[in-house]
Amino acid sequence: MSSEKIVVCGAGGFIGGHLVADLLRQGHKDLRAVDIKPLDEWYQHFPQVENLRLDLQGKEACEQAARGAAQIYNHAADMGGMGFIENNRCLCMLSVLINTHLLMAARKFGVPRYFYASSACVYNADKQRDVNVTALKEADAYPAMPEDGYGWEKLFSERMCRHFREDFGLVTRVVRYHNVYGPHGTWDGGREKAPAAVCRKVIQAKLSGKMEIEIWGDGHQTRSFMYIDDCLKGTQRLMHSDVIEPLNLGSNELVSINQLVDIVEGIAGVKLKRSYNLNAPKGVAGRNSDNTLIKKYFNWEPGTRLKDGLAKTYAWINDEIKRNAKSR
Ligand code: NAD
């Protein structure tokens, strides 16, 4: 715990909101939370925190956010699941303005520590063409052929962090998250990711009695999913470590999308008729996190079992759907 000012950018979003909550739980008192959304649209917000609504693509907004900070966590980005990033490449790339201006502001005000949230979407597409994946090592980002749009922006911004560190001495830490999920995140509206989307579809099928589910792709594509508690732990460990290279932070419990649906059906106590939309955005064929490096540095890796994290996520989305139905 420190008495220094900690700034969380993207605090109205999923990971940023949980990070603010976690920092408060640890006893941090001087917190600044920043997001472009109106406060009533933040997933979590807390009255004892300095909550600012700013568009961090702008240089002056970044200076307002960074002034007086001892630590900055940059979780602000225009992003979403495959349905969003495959159809909004330009919007994803414009997030480069956020990280660039935040780095410049951090340098200007001599901010001692800076964290950047990168993604497994930086990895070379050629290494992800098979559902029987070899887990991705950090070195697999180069030679570069990341996810078009979103992944290129992440890779570029990673390098920007590296060069601010090398050329200007700014202490930067970069994580590559692999599919994070949990309560208090996007579950509807087009930006949701697979775990939340599957939970929502299963709940809606159950509530409507129409016992069917549409799955994007053929269901054989493989992924790993990290529960938010592990994400928070790894994020803060990396922030306060001496690790200067971008680090994978992900679960290595590999499942196919069909297996993901099996688990959610099990939680819901239903069995649905599946249809497969082969034209829907589906991302790479397979992706998993190689955790050799994180284990070497921290003697730790994300360990929450998918079925346990999904049970909590399912319960939260179920409550949200019921709450929304009541307020209509
Ligand atoms: P999120 O969409 O829930 O949160 C991002 C927040 O950034 C949103 O609240 C959004 O309003 C805010 N934002 C966007 N543009 C902004 C701007 N111009 N100014 C200020 N705020 C702005 O996403 P998340 O899941 O919490 O992800 C956080 C970070 O982690 C992002 O950088 C994301 O790319 C990265 N990441 C997430 C995942 C994941 O699975 N959730 C995986 C890999 C990387």
Side-chain angles (χ1 to χ4, degrees), residues 250-269:
S251 162
N252 61 8
E253 183 184 350
L254 190 71
V255 289
S256 68
I257 296 302
N258 276 328
Q259 288 169 324
L260 176 72
V261 177
D262 290 342
I263 296 173
V264 179
E265 283 180 338
I267 293 165

Side-chain angles (χ1 to χ4, degrees), residues 9-18 34-38 41-43 52-58 61-62 74-81 85 91 94-95 97-98 102 115-121 150 153-154 175-181 184-186 191 193 195 224-226 228 231 249 287:
C9 299
F14 167 49
I15 301 173
H18 278 286
V34 188
D35 204 284
I36 194 171
K37 294 187 292 201
E41 291 177 21
W42 294 24
Y43 291 118
L52 297 181
R53 185 182 180 194
L54 294 171
D55 179 355
L56 292 169
Q57 289 195 4
C62 287
N74 177 15
H75 285 84
D78 204 354
M79 60 89 67
I85 66 177
L91 289 183
L94 283 170
S95 294
L97 295 172
I98 301 176
L102 271 176
F115 178 95
Y116 177 61
S118 184
S119 163
C121 287
Y150 179 72
E153 189 278 320
K154 290 290 183 195
V175 81
R176 292 180 184 151
Y177 291 139
H178 290 244
N179 288 315
V180 192
Y181 73 97
H184 301 285
T186 311
R191 287 179 187 250
K193 296 181 160 216
S224 71
F225 299 97
M226 170 172 58
I228 184 67
C231 171
L249 183 52
R287 175 181 291 162

